Amino acid sequence: MNQPDHPGQPSPLEHERLDVYRLATEFLRFALRACDALAKKDTELRDQLRRRAIAIPVNVAEACGQYAVGDRTRYFSSARCLSLECAALVDVAYLSGAASQADTAEAKKLLERMVTLLTRLSRASSC
């Protein structure tokens, strides 16, 4: 991912070079659409999904900002746990009618890939 004001130049922001960060922002788009559909139906589910979906890319970025291996591991692990929670929330959104079967399947594919990558990053503890 390039910075908008420097086309063609690699981003100095480590997290933007990670596939898991890109996947997390793609999932966030899905979650925000689902939250719009949940706006008046289920505010508790909406708020939980929004908070957790936002926290995933934030935790990935935070992990990349840490120098200590243990700190990186903690933030990557947190992002992994949040991804798993989001998988359950996506199921609930589908069951409540806020997400289609196709959107749910797409979101789950993103989450599965994110969990795999975050598991590896948690073990490697590097960006």
Side-chain angles (χ1 to χ4, degrees):
M1 183 180 292
N2 295 328
Q3 289 181 313
D5 55 343
H6 301 294
Q9 297 295 318
S11 172
L13 305 174
E14 291 179 44
H15 65 280
E16 290 183 347
R17 294 192 300 259
L18 296 178
D19 285 339
V20 72
Y21 182 78
R22 180 187 54 78
L23 292 168
T25 57
E26 283 182 43
F27 174 73
L28 179 57
R29 282 189 203 97
F30 161 84
L32 293 175
R33 282 194 314 271
C35 288
D36 286 344
L38 286 166
K40 294 184 181 175
K41 278 186 175 181
D42 190 335
T43 57
E44 183 179 344
L45 174 59
R46 179 198 66 206
D47 293 345
Q48 287 184 23
L49 181 58
R50 179 183 293 132
R51 279 194 308 272
R52 284 163 179 80
I54 289 169
I56 297 169
V58 171
N59 273 274
V60 170
E62 183 73 20
C64 290
Q66 299 299 315
Y67 290 110
V69 172
D71 292 337
R72 286 187 195 158
T73 298
R74 185 174 61 251
Y75 283 103
F76 283 134
S77 293
S78 179
R80 182 182 180 279
C81 290
L82 289 162
S83 298
L84 292 168
E85 288 180 44
C86 282
L89 292 169
V90 165
D91 288 337
V92 174
Y94 171 71
L95 293 171
S96 70
S100 70
Q101 187 173 11
D103 284 345
T104 299
E106 183 181 332
K108 292 292 244 348
K109 283 182 185 177
L110 289 171
L111 289 163
E112 287 172 14
R113 183 73 179 128
M114 288 165 47
V115 168
T116 298
L117 293 171
L118 288 164
T119 299
R120 288 180 189 159
L121 286 166
S122 294
R123 291 179 180 154
S125 297
S126 62
C127 294

